[in-house]
Amino acid sequence: LVVATAAALEPRSFIRRQGHTTKNQRRALRELWPRYGVDVPWNRTIADVQGTLFGRDASATCVLDVGFGHGDSLVGMALRRPDACFLGVEMHRPGVGAAL
């Protein structure tokens, strides 16, 4: 039997804690972000920008990976599905650098 207290049901906010970014991760962010990174305005949707990003219409399969860590799974899925569009969202800059 699991009993949840009221405190356990309260919403929690995310606090970004940045770890150490390696030299190669910083280089990847600096050199590869302009080509592979995406800054989507807050008032736009994936469907709004999909054609611009991938050169495909909004009917193509689009996979959104939220919290992709260092990107191993995201990159693996993208390599296996070149017909699909993949977008990854990650708050941890070292992880983004590793994925790039």
Side-chain angles (χ1 to χ4, degrees):
L1 176 65
V2 177
V3 178
T5 64
L9 300 176
E10 291 294 320
R12 296 180 184 174
S13 63
F14 178 80
I15 298 171
R16 185 165 67 172
R17 293 179 179 92
Q18 293 300 327
H20 176 71
T21 305
T22 67
K23 181 179 176 181
N24 285 337
Q25 291 167 342
R26 286 190 305 271
R27 181 184 54 76
L29 287 165
R30 183 179 61 251
E31 296 177 7
L32 300 177
W33 182 262
R35 180 172 179 183
Y36 298 108
V38 180
D39 294 308
V40 179
W42 68 270
N43 60 346
R44 302 291 301 275
T45 67
I46 292 171
D48 291 338
V49 298
Q50 187 172 350
T52 303
L53 294 176
F54 300 106
R56 303 175 190 177
D57 65 38
S59 66
T61 299
C62 189
V63 177
L64 176 63
D65 187 352
V66 178
F68 62 77
H70 281 156
D72 297 330
S73 177
L74 175 62
V75 171
M77 289 187 295
L79 289 172
R80 287 188 298 280
R81 294 279 316 273
D83 58 310
C85 304
F86 287 85
L87 289 172
V89 177
E90 178 58 58
M91 298 293 295
H92 189 63
R93 287 183 59 84
V96 176
L100 290 171

